[in-house]
Amino acid sequence: DTAVSQTPKYLVTQMGNDKSIKCEQNLGHDTMYWYKQDSKKFLKIMFSYNNKELIINETVPNRFSPKSPDKAHLNLHINSLELGDSAVYFCASSQGFLSPGGEYFGPGTRLTVT
Amino acid sequence: GQQLNQSPQSMFIQEGEDVSMNCTSSSIFNTWLWYKQDPGEGPVLLIALYKAGELTSNGRLTAQFGITRKDSFLNISASIPSDVGIYFCAGSAGNTGKLIFGQGTTLQVKP
């Protein structure tokens, strides 16, 4: 009964490759997010989608492209991976766009770029 | 941009001790939240605060929304080994729908 699931859990790849991380939530939430957690554990929002529409797009390189095929899914595609992209990426969802405190986080995807 | 300063960065305490950590912001927040992250997992919400001066408890945890709206603290009483993890404060201001996270406090509890 996982609320927010992500695949894969671990991703090891070489510089220059393109990779995708998938996220699904079964909570019926309208809003989904991608966060990046760096090696110092600092969590920063990257993107937010509300009802499949992009509403938050932080200063993220355009090599990162989120896609929301429906309300329950938010995938993250990364082109031309760089060493600095190594981090843990968390997907999260909340009932609505302005419901802080209602975010449910997935287990994370640890991306290692070599 | 908005920043949160969370302290202390880490704590190593004996089981049974009380713990206190806090967050301060350079600007006003409308919502303060406290999360816990276990190793290999995503953050889990512990306490949400929505009103200046609000004091809320969740079991052994107590958190307060500072009266200036620029700070919050979290207390854990009678710590136990499973309290180990990273605690994050987070704040939200206005209608951005965006959460700003503190740097985290790593808590270790010695049995």
Side-chain angles (χ1 to χ4, degrees), chain B residues 30-43:
Chain B
N30 295 328
T31 303
W32 280 97
L33 308 163
W34 285 92
Y35 288 83
K36 183 189 179 207
Q37 184 177 18
D38 289 328
E41 302 290 333

Side-chain angles (χ1 to χ4, degrees), chain B residues 3-87:
Chain B
Q3 288 188 338
L4 287 186
N5 288 316
Q6 186 173 347
S7 64
Q9 202 169 11
S10 62
M11 303 180 78
F12 191 90
I13 60 169
Q14 198 78 29
E15 183 177 358
E17 286 182 1
D18 296 344
V19 167
S20 189
M21 58 193 81
N22 69 80
C23 261
T24 57
S25 165
S26 55
S27 54
I28 287 172
F29 282 136
N30 295 328
T31 303
W32 280 97
L33 308 163
W34 285 92
Y35 288 83
K36 183 189 179 207
Q37 184 177 18
D38 289 328
E41 302 290 333
V44 173
L45 182 68
L46 298 173
I47 293 181
L49 302 158
Y50 298 105
K51 210 164 116 178
E54 182 181 352
L55 182 73
T56 296
S57 292
N58 178 6
R60 293 178 296 106
L61 277 58
T62 302
Q64 184 156 31
F65 191 141
I67 201 78
T68 65
R69 293 164 68 191
K70 289 186 177 183
D71 63 315
S72 177
F73 72 74
L74 174 71
N75 287 343
I76 305 173
S77 62
S79 57
I80 58 178
S82 62
D83 290 335
V84 162
I86 305 177
Y87 291 80

